[in-house]
Amino acid sequence: MAKLYFSYSTMNAGKSTVLLQASHNYGERGMKTMLFTAELDNRSKVGNISSRIGLSEKASTFNNDDNLFSSVEKRLKKDKISCVFVDEAQFLSKKQVNDLGKVADELNVPVMCYGIRTDFQGKLFEGSMELLAVADNLKELKTICSECDKKATMVVRLDAKGNVILKGEKVLVGGNEIYKSVCRKHFRELTNLI
């Protein structure tokens, strides 16, 4: 029976790199995969999963209105898909996470999701919250705090001058120019939110 997987971390832990490597491994064995990424992620090019080390692969995009179960089911009518990969899984809706669970359960195709657990205020993203609740396998990918040598578990948002921002939209797509990964201790010291 296929499973729903969730690999989560802060920024800069290599989630997209791991996803692209896993998809490549399937391809080397002659198996096809289906890749999804959030439509709102425009850091490199919409519809591309890109890693900081230069790997890139074209992907289907999703927004909150998309039915991912139907998308996979439709693709399966044309191709045998061995695995579904989802980058930026924090942007999935609760319903989409459950649709991906149905892909594993009813279509017997494994689904591997990769995303950030919490936002810059330490709050769970909707997609991450549901994946933490229903995924068959959870895996934390680790990176190092930008302030010390401890494991980073949180992110802070920065303004143009590098000052920590405590308020704003939950979603603001960006990279190292807007966010930095920190341990809980430094998150607490920098934000006073916890």
Side-chain angles (χ1 to χ4, degrees), residues 62-125:
F62 67 86
N63 63 47
N64 281 3
D65 297 326
D66 292 331
N67 183 321
L68 299 183
F69 180 84
S70 293
S71 296
V72 175
E73 188 176 46
K74 183 178 176 182
R75 175 80 184 273
L76 280 170
K77 290 178 181 175
K78 296 187 299 183
D79 293 317
K80 180 176 176 8
I81 300 299
S82 297
C83 191
V84 172
F85 291 92
V86 182
D87 199 26
E88 305 297 341
Q90 70 270 15
F91 298 133
L92 294 166
S93 68
K94 179 178 180 176
K95 181 190 180 313
Q96 287 171 324
V97 170
N98 289 304
D99 283 347
L100 292 171
K102 276 178 57 178
V103 168
D105 297 343
E106 296 178 17
L107 302 178
N108 199 33
V109 176
V111 179
M112 302 180 91
C113 298
Y114 297 79
I116 296 172
R117 190 177 53 148
T118 59
D119 68 11
F120 74 107
Q121 295 176 323
K123 308 284 188 222
L124 288 168
F125 284 99

Side-chain angles (χ1 to χ4, degrees), residues 163-179:
N163 300 311
V164 173
I165 299 172
L166 302 178
K167 295 184 180 178
E169 296 293 320
K170 184 171 187 78
V171 175
L172 177 62
V173 175
N176 293 338
E177 75 285 359
I178 298 176
Y179 296 101

Side-chain angles (χ1 to χ4, degrees), residues 5-9 18 137-141:
Y5 299 84
F6 182 38
S7 296
Y8 62 91
S9 70
V18 172
N137 288 73
L138 301 172
K139 181 178 182 182
E140 181 182 24
L141 301 176

